[in-house]
Amino acid sequence: MEATHLAATAYRCDIPRKRRSGSGGRMGEAKLRREAMRKRLFEQVEGWTFPPSPWEKALFEEVVALPAFRARRMPAEDLAWMRMPANHCHANARWYEANDWTGQSRAVVGWWVQGSDLVLHSLLTNGHEYMCITPSSLEETEIIFIPDPQIEWIEGDGQLSAKRNGQLIGLGIRRYPALTIAMHEIMRSRLERGMDPHSASEFSPDELEHLMREHLSSEEFAAIGRSGSA
């Protein structure tokens, strides 16, 4: 996939700000954040353990053949000032487009490359470059993004869902479904046993190697070794 470096100054001027109501007290905030993270991880487990299908395999091969770009993440201080919530990239991008007084920003949906998985993701473009405006706990300064004009938004019951090649898209699609499923089932087990959610998704190099040898073919294992990411 091709990658284009973006300018570091994108979307730094005249940033719109979201309004929100007043916040509550600080008592128990750490516990509330931890439980919110636990809930998100359970949702993530459900979202990545769906059965493999020919549709997913064909779509993955189609998407990775599309052009990919380096998209910078807006600086943390700007995201904090804008009050952009994490895990709401589609709503964030649509809100920014609607509130950009210059009229230059457009929400773009596509795929965020995360290891061997492709995560459904939305960010912004001004026609020249891409910028992610959703905070991430991974704290990357840039991501690899594949715009996908074939993704459709379908409205139903007051909600928007993404659709591609006749199928609704969940959190994303997987190159190695068996490996992704195995890792998330381990996360599920850890969370059910009460492990701290910050640790539940962590895997040591030895654990990763064991999972890859168990759930990948020798050719797939060798391919991951060459690329350096699972």
Side-chain angles (χ1 to χ4, degrees):
M1 295 183 296
E2 295 179 357
T4 302
H5 288 275
L6 305 182
T9 57
Y11 296 107
R12 288 303 304 273
C13 300
D14 301 309
I15 302 170
R17 184 183 191 187
K18 277 192 173 182
R19 295 182 178 182
R20 67 179 178 186
S21 57
S23 59
R26 293 184 178 276
M27 183 177 296
E29 283 188 359
K31 181 178 179 180
L32 290 174
R33 286 195 299 269
R34 187 167 58 250
E35 290 310 307
M37 183 177 182
R38 183 182 303 278
K39 180 181 178 182
R40 286 197 303 272
L41 287 180
F42 271 121
E43 292 171 349
Q44 179 178 321
V45 166
E46 293 300 323
W48 285 106
T49 54
F50 58 94
S53 68
W55 168 84
E56 180 186 22
K57 179 178 175 61
L59 178 56
F60 195 100
E61 293 174 355
E62 182 180 344
V63 170
V64 295
L66 298 174
F69 302 87
R70 293 190 182 275
R72 294 188 63 82
R73 191 179 302 282
M74 187 172 282
E77 61 271 19
D78 291 342
L79 292 176
W81 190 88
M82 292 164 62
R83 295 170 176 166
M84 286 296 181
N87 306 302
H88 293 277
C89 62
H90 308 304
N92 290 346
R94 289 194 296 270
W95 179 90
Y96 195 109
E97 176 182 335
N99 289 275
D100 179 12
W101 68 270
T102 70
Q104 296 180 353
S105 298
R106 294 289 180 269
V108 180
V109 65
W111 307 93
W112 175 2
V113 180
Q114 291 191 20
S116 61
D117 298 323
L118 299 178
V119 180
L120 185 68
H121 190 60
S122 287
L123 40 64
L124 295 172
T125 185
N126 59 6
H128 305 288
E129 54 204 2
Y130 294 98
M131 174 65 70
C132 181
I133 59 166
T134 299
S136 169
S137 60
L138 301 178
E139 299 182 349
E140 323 93 320
T141 57
E142 64 180 21
I143 66 173
I144 302 298
F145 180 72
I146 304 175
D148 189 346
Q150 300 301 313
I151 294 175
E152 306 173 72
W153 287 109
I154 308 299
E155 187 171 4
D157 298 326
Q159 294 184 333
L160 288 175
S161 300
K163 193 174 185 179
R164 182 66 152 78
N165 291 5
Q167 296 270 1
L168 292 178
I169 305 167
L171 296 181
I173 54 179
R174 307 154 301 191
R175 182 187 294 273
Y176 308 117
L179 176 61
T180 300
I181 291 171
M183 293 177 68
H184 282 84
E185 290 297 350
I186 290 173
M187 287 172 53
R188 187 203 305 273
S189 177
R190 290 172 173 177
L191 291 167
E192 289 174 345
R193 296 198 309 268
M195 180 180 285
D196 186 287
H198 293 89
S199 302
S201 60
E202 295 179 353
F203 292 85
S204 69
D206 287 344
E207 288 173 326
L208 282 175
E209 181 175 349
H210 174 76
L211 286 168
M212 288 189 292
R213 291 188 181 278
E214 182 177 358
H215 297 284
L216 299 179
S217 68
S218 56
E219 293 81 7
E220 290 171 338
F221 183 84
I224 286 183
R226 289 193 297 270
S227 65
S229 63

